[in-house]
Amino acid sequence: MTRFSQRVQLLAALILLTTTVIVSVRGGTSANQTNPKSQPEPNNKNPLIPKGPDDLISYSPACVDCHGRTPDDVKNSRFTKDYRSDEFVLLTESRTWEESDPHSRSFKVLKEPLARRMAEILKYDVTKSAKCLTCHGIDKYAGLPLPEGDFDLAKRFETVGTIDVDPPGVTCNVCHGLRKSWQSEHYNPVKGTIPWRTLAPDKKKEAGMRNLRHPVVKAQLCVSCHVGNAAEGKVVTHEMYAAGHPPLPPFELTSYMEGEPKHWAYPTDPRLKFFASVPAADRWKLFHFNDAKDESYLSRNFAVGAVVALRAEAELLLADAKTAENGGEGLDFARFDCYACHHDLKYPSDRQKRGYDGPPGRPTLRAAPGLIAGIVAKHGEGVETTDLAKTATGFHDKWIALREAVALRKAATGFHDKWLALRKAATARPFGHPTKVKEAAMAVIDWCDNFLAILGNSPSSLYTIEQAKRLRELLAEAATSASIADPEAAMLLAWGYTTLAREAGVQLPADRLKTLADTVPLSVRAEPYTVEQKPAPIQFGTRMKMLSGYQADPFRQAFEGLLK
């Protein structure tokens, strides 16, 4: 062992004895941006929520003027020539969104045959229901509780588009921020440059722009619809599923990022030369990334996405449990594993082989979110302090890296027991024991908050190239060493592994990928989850056939073949 390694190990030991999991925060990112444990801000203090109609832009056709260019137009743009904007963004964002992003059709699908049939069954107009518009439309004041009873729908949601055109669905403004104040400021030049680019995230947020470069902020926004958020009224209920709402695909952040028709490029992308020119000390502070040679960009996003998705599931369970305790209905059936009931009876059975959380036959929680978050926790528990210190330069940065590595390891512990307690509470009696579910869900949420506080705040390279490799190895181990009886869990393992492997430059043989794809789809954009831009019937039957026909052994064998 080298003298430096001995010193590092000694420092790590001292920290383990004395630290109280203090998370280092550099760069002044605000707590409510990075730590989901923060309480929601009052309406008059949350800069992301418009103060009123005059402060609101729910859809701006002007975005197209700069961001709707063809590649040839980009070359000739004055922003390219004068300010090198093509080295900061692609300038084709609006065109990509309009031509190939299913978010642009999110409202239009509410008028298609499936939605009309759902409306008949549910006995309400899905184009005018807050239950649907929270995800499929533009909520002008997202983050505020929905009014009780009847309310003026047009004041809360964008219910009309331009003349004779439907509302435009989930637009640029919905994700990036509905406040008017940043809309012009973000491209205003001053003395030959555009100051907005290098403003601190806090300053941009004060103007109303959501900091989507921050992995926790980005993941929370995505899961609010793709998993659910009871506080914002974004919940797909069992009633909706019974009426025909398609099953939501399982959520894995990096696979969604890669599978989405991308109207962005990562800051590690060589095309965006602006980011390479940012001093290393400022990269995390301003744009939440580290040099690609020091940290795997997608691995940190994978870890954040897994924990945020689990937290969203726990929040939905907590909301249902509180309602049940106060005399409302029990936990909604949609909170449980759909395929615990909706599956063909088989013998021998993968489910019997896997075992049960409680009495056999009781619906269990979805296994997938807990499995993936559990792998991230296992990885965190085994993080090598010396490995994280290698990428840091100077004694101070090495000390910070050591401290945060120890904090990550400490925060990662205890996950298995908390997740197991929640699963057991859900089977303590048919469809869950509300009080036990509430207590266990709060414990899981607390674990997630502590872990995300480190993943979201730490400027150190937590997922070094070596640690990213170890994370992939844990995914592969989970996929091949046990019977993955749950098709959604199998999908997330395949999606996560293949996405991270491609980022690392690992060669995945096409024929072996094809074999794996015969057992589960290999991305959220693959059949049967692909969504065409033109109106098309949702492939409900194809999805159910794939899920009911899934078999654990062929998946495991195909995954093993991919690793050879």
Side-chain angles (χ1 to χ4, degrees), residues 216-230:
V216 176
V217 175
K218 173 173 54 187
Q220 287 176 322
L221 177 69
C222 294
V223 303
S224 68
C225 282
H226 289 282
V227 176
N229 185 316

PDB file of all heavy atoms in Angstrom, residues 216-230:
ATOM      1  N   VAL A 216     -31.762  15.558  -9.840  1.00  0.00           N
ATOM      2  CA  VAL A 216     -32.909  15.330  -8.963  1.00  0.00           C
ATOM      3  C   VAL A 216     -34.119  16.123  -9.445  1.00  0.00           C
ATOM      4  O   VAL A 216     -35.240  15.604  -9.505  1.00  0.00           O
ATOM      5  CB  VAL A 216     -32.563  15.687  -7.503  1.00  0.00           C
ATOM      6  CG1 VAL A 216     -33.795  15.545  -6.616  1.00  0.00           C
ATOM      7  CG2 VAL A 216     -31.442  14.797  -6.984  1.00  0.00           C
ATOM      8  N   VAL A 217     -33.912  17.380  -9.802  1.00  0.00           N
ATOM      9  CA  VAL A 217     -35.012  18.220 -10.303  1.00  0.00           C
ATOM     10  C   VAL A 217     -35.608  17.597 -11.564  1.00  0.00           C
ATOM     11  O   VAL A 217     -36.832  17.502 -11.722  1.00  0.00           O
ATOM     12  CB  VAL A 217     -34.515  19.647 -10.588  1.00  0.00           C
ATOM     13  CG1 VAL A 217     -35.613  20.489 -11.223  1.00  0.00           C
ATOM     14  CG2 VAL A 217     -34.019  20.306  -9.297  1.00  0.00           C
ATOM     15  N   LYS A 218     -34.742  17.183 -12.468  1.00  0.00           N
ATOM     16  CA  LYS A 218     -35.191  16.566 -13.717  1.00  0.00           C
ATOM     17  C   LYS A 218     -35.976  15.291 -13.446  1.00  0.00           C
ATOM     18  O   LYS A 218     -37.070  15.088 -14.009  1.00  0.00           O
ATOM     19  CB  LYS A 218     -33.966  16.259 -14.587  1.00  0.00           C
ATOM     20  CG  LYS A 218     -34.240  15.478 -15.851  1.00  0.00           C
ATOM     21  CD  LYS A 218     -32.985  15.394 -16.704  1.00  0.00           C
ATOM     22  CE  LYS A 218     -31.810  14.837 -15.950  1.00  0.00           C
ATOM     23  NZ  LYS A 218     -30.552  14.899 -16.705  1.00  0.00           N
ATOM     24  N   ALA A 219     -35.445  14.417 -12.594  1.00  0.00           N
ATOM     25  CA  ALA A 219     -36.115  13.148 -12.306  1.00  0.00           C
ATOM     26  C   ALA A 219     -37.464  13.369 -11.631  1.00  0.00           C
ATOM     27  O   ALA A 219     -38.451  12.701 -11.952  1.00  0.00           O
ATOM     28  CB  ALA A 219     -35.224  12.276 -11.420  1.00  0.00           C
ATOM     29  N   GLN A 220     -37.532  14.326 -10.704  1.00  0.00           N
ATOM     30  CA  GLN A 220     -38.797  14.595 -10.023  1.00  0.00           C
ATOM     31  C   GLN A 220     -39.862  15.076 -11.006  1.00  0.00           C
ATOM     32  O   GLN A 220     -41.040  14.706 -10.886  1.00  0.00           O
ATOM     33  CB  GLN A 220     -38.585  15.643  -8.927  1.00  0.00           C
ATOM     34  CG  GLN A 220     -37.849  15.110  -7.718  1.00  0.00           C
ATOM     35  CD  GLN A 220     -37.572  16.197  -6.699  1.00  0.00           C
ATOM     36  OE1 GLN A 220     -37.261  17.334  -7.059  1.00  0.00           O
ATOM     37  NE2 GLN A 220     -37.678  15.862  -5.432  1.00  0.00           N
ATOM     38  N   LEU A 221     -39.463  15.902 -11.954  1.00  0.00           N
ATOM     39  CA  LEU A 221     -40.424  16.376 -12.947  1.00  0.00           C
ATOM     40  C   LEU A 221     -40.933  15.217 -13.792  1.00  0.00           C
ATOM     41  O   LEU A 221     -42.139  15.084 -14.014  1.00  0.00           O
ATOM     42  CB  LEU A 221     -39.774  17.432 -13.841  1.00  0.00           C
ATOM     43  CG  LEU A 221     -40.679  17.956 -14.964  1.00  0.00           C
ATOM     44  CD1 LEU A 221     -41.822  18.789 -14.397  1.00  0.00           C
ATOM     45  CD2 LEU A 221     -39.877  18.768 -15.968  1.00  0.00           C
ATOM     46  N   CYS A 222     -40.034  14.354 -14.260  1.00  0.00           N
ATOM     47  CA  CYS A 222     -40.448  13.232 -15.108  1.00  0.00           C
ATOM     48  C   CYS A 222     -41.378  12.274 -14.367  1.00  0.00           C
ATOM     49  O   CYS A 222     -42.417  11.865 -14.895  1.00  0.00           O
ATOM     50  CB  CYS A 222     -39.227  12.475 -15.615  1.00  0.00           C
ATOM     51  SG  CYS A 222     -38.159  13.406 -16.734  1.00  0.00           S
ATOM     52  N   VAL A 223     -41.004  11.898 -13.143  1.00  0.00           N
ATOM     53  CA  VAL A 223     -41.813  10.903 -12.429  1.00  0.00           C
ATOM     54  C   VAL A 223     -43.151  11.466 -12.006  1.00  0.00           C
ATOM     55  O   VAL A 223     -44.093  10.703 -11.751  1.00  0.00           O
ATOM     56  CB  VAL A 223     -41.079  10.318 -11.193  1.00  0.00           C
ATOM     57  CG1 VAL A 223     -39.752   9.706 -11.586  1.00  0.00           C
ATOM     58  CG2 VAL A 223     -40.928  11.339 -10.083  1.00  0.00           C
ATOM     59  N   SER A 224     -43.287  12.785 -11.929  1.00  0.00           N
ATOM     60  CA  SER A 224     -44.569  13.349 -11.493  1.00  0.00           C
ATOM     61  C   SER A 224     -45.710  12.889 -12.401  1.00  0.00           C
ATOM     62  O   SER A 224     -46.846  12.736 -11.942  1.00  0.00           O
ATOM     63  CB  SER A 224     -44.499  14.876 -11.435  1.00  0.00           C
ATOM     64  OG  SER A 224     -44.380  15.436 -12.724  1.00  0.00           O
ATOM     65  N   CYS A 225     -45.400  12.645 -13.676  1.00  0.00           N
ATOM     66  CA  CYS A 225     -46.409  12.088 -14.581  1.00  0.00           C
ATOM     67  C   CYS A 225     -46.177  10.605 -14.852  1.00  0.00           C
ATOM     68  O   CYS A 225     -47.131   9.820 -14.895  1.00  0.00           O
ATOM     69  CB  CYS A 225     -46.420  12.837 -15.911  1.00  0.00           C
ATOM     70  SG  CYS A 225     -47.254  14.432 -15.866  1.00  0.00           S
ATOM     71  N   HIS A 226     -44.927  10.220 -15.050  1.00  0.00           N
ATOM     72  CA  HIS A 226     -44.651   8.849 -15.485  1.00  0.00           C
ATOM     73  C   HIS A 226     -44.727   7.838 -14.355  1.00  0.00           C
ATOM     74  O   HIS A 226     -44.753   6.628 -14.620  1.00  0.00           O
ATOM     75  CB  HIS A 226     -43.291   8.792 -16.173  1.00  0.00           C
ATOM     76  CG  HIS A 226     -43.285   9.459 -17.518  1.00  0.00           C
ATOM     77  ND1 HIS A 226     -43.791   8.864 -18.638  1.00  0.00           N
ATOM     78  CD2 HIS A 226     -42.867  10.690 -17.913  1.00  0.00           C
ATOM     79  CE1 HIS A 226     -43.674   9.674 -19.676  1.00  0.00           C
ATOM     80  NE2 HIS A 226     -43.131  10.805 -19.260  1.00  0.00           N
ATOM     81  N   VAL A 227     -44.759   8.282 -13.100  1.00  0.00           N
ATOM     82  CA  VAL A 227     -45.079   7.431 -11.953  1.00  0.00           C
ATOM     83  C   VAL A 227     -46.326   7.978 -11.273  1.00  0.00           C
ATOM     84  O   VAL A 227     -47.312   7.265 -11.091  1.00  0.00           O
ATOM     85  CB  VAL A 227     -43.905   7.351 -10.955  1.00  0.00           C
ATOM     86  CG1 VAL A 227     -44.309   6.525  -9.720  1.00  0.00           C
ATOM     87  CG2 VAL A 227     -42.674   6.735 -11.618  1.00  0.00           C
ATOM     88  N   GLY A 228     -46.296   9.264 -10.919  1.00  0.00           N
ATOM     89  CA  GLY A 228     -47.463   9.893 -10.304  1.00  0.00           C
ATOM     90  C   GLY A 228     -47.074  10.821  -9.178  1.00  0.00           C
ATOM     91  O   GLY A 228     -45.985  10.705  -8.608  1.00  0.00           O
ATOM     92  N   ASN A 229     -47.972  11.765  -8.865  1.00  0.00           N
ATOM     93  CA  ASN A 229     -47.754  12.710  -7.775  1.00  0.00           C
ATOM     94  C   ASN A 229     -49.123  13.114  -7.246  1.00  0.00           C
ATOM     95  O   ASN A 229     -49.835  13.907  -7.868  1.00  0.00           O
ATOM     96  CB  ASN A 229     -46.977  13.930  -8.284  1.00  0.00           C
ATOM     97  CG  ASN A 229     -46.619  14.899  -7.177  1.00  0.00           C
ATOM     98  OD1 ASN A 229     -47.434  15.212  -6.317  1.00  0.00           O
ATOM     99  ND2 ASN A 229     -45.397  15.390  -7.194  1.00  0.00           N
ATOM    100  N   ALA A 230     -49.492  12.549  -6.101  1.00  0.00           N
ATOM    101  CA  ALA A 230     -50.822  12.793  -5.548  1.00  0.00           C
ATOM    102  C   ALA A 230     -51.033  14.259  -5.196  1.00  0.00           C
ATOM    103  O   ALA A 230     -52.120  14.805  -5.378  1.00  0.00           O
ATOM    104  CB  ALA A 230     -51.048  11.911  -4.316  1.00  0.00           C
TER     105      ALA A 230
END
